[in-house]
Amino acid sequence: MMNSVQTILSNLHRLSNLSRLWTLTRLLAIVTLIHAPLSSAQNPADAQASMDYYLPDGVSYNPAIPTPEQVLGTVPGEWHVRHDQLVNYMHAVAEASDRISIERFGRSYENRALLMLTITSPENHGRIEQIRQQHLALSDPSGSEDVAVADMPVVLYQGYSVHGNEPSGANAALLYVYHLAAAQGPEIEDALANAVILVDPSFNPDGLDRFAQWANSRRAMTLSSDPNNMEQNEPWPGGRTNHYWFDLNRDWLPLRHPESRARLENFYRWRPNVLTDHHEMGSDNTFFFQPGIPSRTHPMTPQRNQDLTESIAQFHAQALDADQRLYYARESFDDFYYGKGSTYPDINGAVGILFEQASSRGHARDTAHGVLRFPFTIQNQFLSSLSTLEGALSLRTELLDYQREFYREALDMADAADTKGYVFGDADDSGSAYRMAEVLRQHQIAVHVLAEDLNVGEQTFYSGQAYVVPGSQGQHRLIESIFERRTEFPDTLFYDVSTWTFPYAFNTPFAELGSRVFNSDLLGDLVEINDFPAGEFVGGNNAYAYLFEWDEFYAPRALYRLLDAGIRVKVATEPFTAATPAGERQFDYGTIMVAVGPQDVQADEIRTLMRQASEEEAMTVYAMETGLSVGGIDLGSPGFSNLRRPSIALLAGEGTRSSEVGEAWHTFDQKFAMPITLLTQEQMKQADLNHYNVLIMASGSYSSVQADRVKQWVEAGGTLIVYKSALSWAARNELANITLIDNSGQESDTTLSYADMERNRGEQLIGGSIFNTTLDLTHPLGYGYNTSLLRVFRDSTLFMERAENPYATPLQYTDMPLASGYVSQENIDTMAGTAAIVVTALGSGRVIAMTDNPNFRAFWFGTTRLFMNAVFFGHTISSGASN
């Protein structure tokens, strides 16, 4: 140890002032704390030092600024901070410091505050709006040339713990904010004069609280570092995710959650130069910071972004070298998917930086590098927060110049591009198209209502029912990444998904507009957020029956309200032509019909619900005056099937994949306002399954589920929906008559290099790509779709043979399945022509087996309709069309 100390001392002259001050106070702490074994007699308070353990030596602190210890009663790291404690401290320090302003910019699902602290010098606070407007001008190519950056502050957005059970970041935020508020001397005053620091102390308040409660309530007074200890092994669903068990670090592009939407709005209020994203990883690792793997950077990201990331990385390395802390920077993680917090800034003229700290899980844990203590993990995050600030200050003018050039180059790229814009929209499903337009607007992309009818190839887009995105705007790079269909990549390994083509996700027609087609006459009004399109109620108050088509995305919400009100509803299993008050109209498979006569509900209540549907769900509702059709089935025909109110149980808890369960829960709760029961496998053993008519099983291990009970329930008329790995359980227990394809095989019949093993195996994974399927539009699962080509999202190598019954495979992969993203040729060959959905009949019930997750990240609207069709119409599927 003395040799290590001498080595550090001999290299002090090579360090920056900040790193030198930090180093001097760390030496004793390293010797006495980090490498000291835990003894059975140690108290948690003795397992860490005081505030002096964290704070750099040689810095004086303003005593008028409260420390975390003074407000919370404990030093950070002794306990896991709860979100309410974090909020209390941030308000306390903001009230005491003229360097900090604080605001609540949103709330989580569980109503916890999302906070933003703006930290800079008092002088800068006096002109903060002027500074913000000047900074935003750098992103406007029309006037950025006149902006002088020499004296402008650099803007940092430093955010912590998007995964709630990676808490070292949020706990480090306590220390970082205190240091910025209370540190005294020329160095901190110069830093605050030249920087505006936006601190987001908890990206995921709900997950952070869930984990803190677990770890704190199982912390012993005599710490155990045994990885098998309960404290280090949180139960399902864990604290990683938000309220609905979503990974918020994948939501920067889809924007499905209030935390993400509010955060992005805050991001664009400033358009920071640097954004940091502090995470944790496996306990036997060390510490990671970007740039990551260079070959796995998205092609839309400029090289200068990576160069600046590399330059800032030198400051992290310098600070960590001073303490002889292990780290790495060019492995494991990539910068490809723009939906992550550390990558989204890269497509917005900023530098995103990911930090990954080995996790102590609880308060202490045995690892490959000895006992890893929670205070040490916090210390690394604090240290990297300081080194980020130091690096950004050193590169201040370069970062500001880069931001200006990024947006100027974007316009040059747009001018040189063959595609001058995009049009998208669906006259039959305005809800999905609007949701896509809304997300684009949240990304500060200009989207216009189509001003005149437009024919592109064989597609027609109608005025007022489609949208146009001009390519020539500052967000050009982001637009290209959103619309691109990429199948060739410089690197074939991905940390996350390899594609995210928005029109495919929303299942909305789209087309590229070249210079011969695109012109300013196409551009109508700019789309406004929260301006959801209204539907139409056609007809008078004395209806014989009501009709609405199933094309609109939010039709299930209206249908459930009707059924929940006790109204009898039918669905058309055949097309027909009827004389509506607006003239003759052809109605397709899946049209919903409510006859006014045979009801136990008063006609005026039915009419009220139908008008509500037209107003809120963007649907056209027809008040029919007769039951006699012009052609096809009449409204009293047996070609209309009776529908039942879905009573849904979704298997959840231990043994299930929380993300997929959460996605299904979110679909029902947030999209369609439908109540469901979350049923654990243990509860299911005692539950009366007759309370439910729909049972859903996402990926999971269902060894404790009583298959015989489920089989009896299905035979009595239940609809069982299984997807992804739940297929194996259903097949093994003879609930689903399906044949899964084993694609494992042998990697090669020749000897391969050991060094190539990880890559060779990784290339056979499907991390997330988009595929072409063909859908039977006459099948109940195809109701509401208007084209047989449907793009699905797949992130597994689970394949299923087509059913023996030729009518029992309503959805299958095409012979050329790849639409966008990476997939190996071996997987393409296996996938081609296989089943995506197979229906099995058991007695009076149906089992619907899906190879893919229809609710992927609450973003894949296109297949959500399949899911809802299975819920509402599964029981209407003919046994003759089932395996």
Side-chain angles (χ1 to χ4, degrees):
M1 179 62 68
M2 287 306 299
N3 289 336
S4 298
V5 172
Q6 290 171 356
T7 300
I8 295 174
L9 290 172
S10 66
N11 284 280
L12 278 177
H13 68 282
R14 300 181 181 178
L15 306 180
S16 65
N17 289 337
L18 181 61
S19 296
R20 189 179 301 123
L21 289 171
W22 177 270
T23 301
L24 290 172
T25 195
R26 296 283 64 80
L27 294 176
L28 183 59
I30 294 172
V31 174
T32 60
L33 177 64
I34 298 170
H35 297 296
L38 281 171
S39 71
S40 59
Q42 279 186 303
N43 182 280
D46 300 327
Q48 64 161 56
S50 66
M51 288 288 292
D52 290 339
Y53 169 66
Y54 297 108
L55 301 176
D57 195 18
V59 177
S60 60
Y61 287 89
N62 182 352
I65 306 299
T67 68
E69 184 177 15
Q70 289 170 330
V71 174
L72 305 181
T74 64
V75 176
E78 182 178 355
W79 296 88
H80 285 259
V81 70
R82 301 191 314 269
H83 185 260
D84 62 298
Q85 294 175 310
L86 193 67
V87 168
N88 288 343
Y89 179 72
M90 295 305 167
H91 278 287
V93 74
E95 184 177 350
S97 174
D98 59 0
R99 298 173 178 176
I100 298 179
S101 65
I102 190 170
E103 61 180 314
R104 190 198 76 214
F105 64 87
R107 287 192 178 275
S108 71
Y109 281 118
E110 296 176 14
N111 204 36
R112 292 186 173 90
L114 303 172
L115 296 183
M116 175 63 70
L117 289 82
T118 303
I119 306 175
T120 189
S121 67
E123 294 74 20
N124 285 344
H125 270 296
R127 58 187 188 95
I128 196 69
E129 182 59 18
Q130 177 187 346
I131 291 174
R132 189 178 74 86
Q133 292 295 340
Q134 184 183 33
H135 186 79
L136 291 178
L138 289 176
S139 303
D140 180 4
S142 65
S144 62
E145 186 176 354
D146 299 328
V147 179
V149 301
D151 298 322
M152 287 179 61
V154 67
V155 178
L156 291 83
Y157 191 128
Q158 294 179 269
Y160 301 87
S161 299
V162 70
H163 298 142
N165 61 357
E166 300 175 4
S168 57
N171 284 266
L174 295 166
L175 298 161
Y176 187 50
V177 168
Y178 171 71
H179 175 82
L180 295 176
Q184 296 177 315
E187 187 169 352
I188 188 66
E189 291 176 0
D190 181 68
L192 295 177
N194 287 285
V196 174
I197 305 159
L198 310 172
V199 174
D200 192 334
S202 175
F203 276 164
N204 179 7
D206 296 347
L208 182 74
D209 250 30
R210 191 183 312 133
F211 179 73
Q213 175 66 20
W214 173 264
N216 288 338
S217 63
R218 285 150 184 83
R219 188 198 74 164
M221 294 303 102
T222 303
L223 290 183
S224 170
S225 59
D226 184 354
N228 296 313
N229 187 35
M230 181 182 287
E231 179 191 350
Q232 284 82 4
N233 294 276
E234 56 181 324
W236 192 100
R240 176 181 177 87
T241 50
N242 76 343
H243 175 77
Y244 287 100
W245 311 322
F246 280 74
D247 184 340
L248 289 177
N249 194 41
R250 304 299 187 269
D251 196 45
W252 285 73
L253 269 181
L255 298 178
R256 293 296 88 209
H257 304 286
E259 300 94 333
S260 305
R261 291 191 291 269
R263 184 159 292 114
L264 198 71
E265 184 176 353
N266 218 30
F267 174 91
Y268 281 116
R269 284 187 64 239
W270 274 98
R271 292 183 183 262
N273 301 105
V274 176
L275 185 144
T276 61
D277 191 12
H278 294 257
H279 289 248
E280 291 182 8
M281 55 182 168
S283 301
D284 287 331
N285 289 292
T286 58
F287 189 77
F288 168 86
F289 50 84
Q290 283 180 314
I293 301 173
S295 62
R296 300 182 197 170
T297 299
H298 196 284
M300 285 290 172
T301 300
Q303 180 57 45
R304 193 176 177 193
N305 168 281
Q306 295 296 287
D307 294 341
L308 287 165
T309 306
E310 179 73 40
S311 296
I312 296 174
Q314 303 304 314
F315 290 86
H316 309 320
Q318 189 179 64
L320 295 168
D321 285 343
D323 271 358
Q324 294 185 321
R325 296 172 183 236
L326 295 176
Y327 60 86
Y328 60 103
R330 296 179 184 85
E331 304 168 52
S332 303
F333 301 95
D334 64 32
D335 245 349
F336 189 86
Y337 173 48
Y338 287 132
K340 295 183 297 185
S342 60
T343 309
Y344 185 79
D346 297 343
I347 198 66
N348 281 281
V351 172
I353 303 175
L354 169 69
F355 297 102
E356 293 274 358
Q357 165 62 47
S359 178
S360 64
R361 299 303 179 197
H363 291 84
R365 185 182 179 96
D366 292 332
T367 75
H369 302 97
V371 175
L372 178 63
R373 307 169 192 278
F374 188 38
F376 180 74
T377 69
I378 296 171
Q379 192 181 54
N380 267 353
Q381 302 281 25
F382 177 42
L383 178 59
S384 59
S385 299
L386 294 173
S387 62
T388 299
L389 175 58
E390 187 177 8
L393 289 167
S394 178
L395 298 165
R396 180 178 60 83
T397 56
E398 288 92 331
L399 288 164
L400 294 167
D401 275 330
Y402 167 66
Q403 188 172 42
R404 171 165 47 194
E405 290 306 311
F406 177 92
Y407 288 100
R408 293 171 65 176
E409 289 173 3
L411 291 190
D412 292 339
M413 291 172 65
D415 291 342
D418 294 331
T419 299
K420 299 303 179 183
Y422 297 89
V423 60
F424 67 93
D426 189 343
D428 296 314
D429 183 7
S430 58
S432 294
Y434 172 78
R435 288 304 179 208
M436 176 174 162
E438 183 181 54
V439 174
L440 296 181
R441 291 292 293 123
Q442 289 168 331
H443 288 293
Q444 304 298 299
I445 294 171
V447 182
H448 297 263
V449 177
L450 179 64
E452 56 187 41
D453 292 353
L454 178 64
N455 293 314
V456 186
E458 298 181 356
Q459 298 187 94
T460 299
F461 299 90
Y462 296 100
S463 171
Q465 296 179 319
Y467 304 95
V468 181
V469 180
S472 185
Q473 50 181 300
Q475 295 292 72
H476 174 78
R477 284 186 174 93
L478 181 56
I479 293 169
E480 291 298 299
S481 80
I482 282 173
F483 282 91
E484 74 173 3
R485 293 164 285 181
R486 185 182 296 274
T487 57
E488 296 182 3
F489 302 87
D491 196 317
T492 53
L493 298 184
F494 299 89
Y495 184 74
D496 200 76
V497 302
S498 62
T499 184
W500 49 89
T501 312
F502 269 39
Y504 290 164
F506 289 90
N507 192 39
T508 188
F510 77 109
E512 300 169 348
L513 303 178
S515 57
R516 293 185 178 182
V517 179
F518 180 83
N519 63 77
S520 59
D521 292 338
L522 300 175
L523 305 180
D525 293 339
L526 191 68
V527 174
E528 299 295 336
I529 297 174
N530 296 324
D531 191 16
F532 190 74
E536 185 179 3
F537 186 90
V538 179
N541 291 331
N542 297 314
Y544 169 88
Y546 297 96
L547 297 176
F548 63 86
E549 293 173 289
W550 195 246
D551 309 64
E552 282 291 347
F553 182 81
Y554 290 102
R557 192 159 61 193
L559 175 56
Y560 183 81
R561 277 202 301 265
L562 293 168
L563 293 169
D564 192 46
I567 297 171
R568 296 184 181 92
V569 184
K570 295 175 179 282
V571 60
T573 64
E574 299 179 36
F576 62 98
T577 302
T580 76
E584 287 189 8
R585 181 175 180 83
Q586 292 182 341
F587 290 90
D588 207 349
Y589 297 94
T591 296
I592 302 300
M593 190 268 288
V594 177
V596 176
Q599 300 285 354
D600 299 327
V601 178
Q602 295 298 315
D604 57 349
E605 183 178 346
I606 297 174
R607 183 172 59 251
T608 297
L609 289 173
M610 301 311 298
R611 286 191 176 276
Q612 181 183 1
S614 67
E615 294 168 359
E616 297 181 4
E617 319 304 356
M619 298 191 316
T620 300
V621 174
Y622 297 91
M624 305 298 292
E625 298 173 354
T626 176
L628 188 65
S629 296
V630 175
I633 59 175
D634 296 320
L635 301 193
S637 165
F640 281 91
S641 290
N642 292 319
L643 296 178
R644 63 191 187 189
R645 174 188 174 275
S647 181
I648 304 162
L650 171 62
L651 284 195
E654 294 294 344
T656 65
R657 185 171 182 178
S658 61
S659 60
E660 292 180 13
V661 173
E663 286 158 354
W665 179 25
H666 179 276
T667 293
F668 289 119
D669 198 31
Q670 289 292 314
K671 286 189 172 77
F672 301 115
M674 295 173 58
I676 66 168
T677 297
L678 296 172
L679 194 63
T680 68
Q681 295 187 49
E682 286 302 310
Q683 290 169 325
M684 189 176 177
K685 292 177 181 178
Q686 288 82 35
D688 181 359
L689 296 185
N690 293 321
H691 287 310
Y692 317 106
N693 53 36
V694 177
L695 179 63
I696 300 168
M697 301 172 71
S699 290
S701 173
Y702 295 103
S703 57
S704 62
V705 172
Q706 298 166 322
D708 289 344
R709 287 189 69 215
V710 176
K711 192 171 185 177
Q712 292 172 3
W713 172 84
V714 174
E715 289 173 339
T719 299
L720 174 63
I721 302 170
V722 291
Y723 48 93
K724 294 189 70 175
S725 68
L727 297 185
S728 298
W729 176 87
R732 186 170 60 251
N733 288 283
E734 299 182 343
L735 281 147
N737 186 7
I738 58 176
T739 302
L740 302 180
I741 300 172
D742 182 4
N743 193 41
S744 56
Q746 295 296 320
E747 291 181 314
S748 175
D749 56 4
T750 62
T751 300
L752 299 175
S753 170
Y754 177 83
D756 293 334
M757 179 179 67
E758 182 178 357
R759 170 166 293 278
N760 291 340
R761 291 181 176 175
E763 288 177 342
Q764 298 307 313
L765 301 175
I766 302 178
S769 297
I770 304 169
F771 297 95
N772 300 314
T773 62
T774 182
L775 176 65
D776 179 0
L777 300 181
T778 72
H779 194 281
L781 297 184
Y783 290 171
Y785 291 95
N786 294 298
T787 58
S788 60
L789 179 61
L790 176 65
R791 272 73 180 217
V792 304
F793 195 91
R794 162 177 280 266
D795 60 358
S796 76
T797 55
L798 176 72
F799 304 110
M800 181 169 58
E801 291 184 1
R802 292 194 301 271
E804 293 179 5
N805 185 325
Y807 307 105
T809 307
L811 186 71
Q812 68 180 62
Y813 287 94
T814 66
D815 291 337
M816 300 181 65
L818 181 61
S820 184
Y822 169 76
V823 64
S824 70
Q825 188 61 49
E826 293 88 342
N827 280 322
I828 289 178
D829 293 342
T830 302
M831 186 188 312
T834 61
I837 298 179
V838 168
V839 179
T840 298
L842 280 177
S844 300
R846 302 292 178 264
V847 179
I848 300 170
M850 302 178 173
T851 56
D852 307 306
N853 174 12
N855 304 302
F856 179 72
R857 292 183 181 169
F859 170 54
W860 217 259
F861 277 50
T863 50
T864 297
R865 189 191 304 276
L866 288 173
F867 184 65
M868 300 310 294
N869 285 356
V871 169
F872 281 103
F873 309 136
H875 69 284
T876 73
I877 299 172
S878 169
S879 60
S882 305
N883 241 16

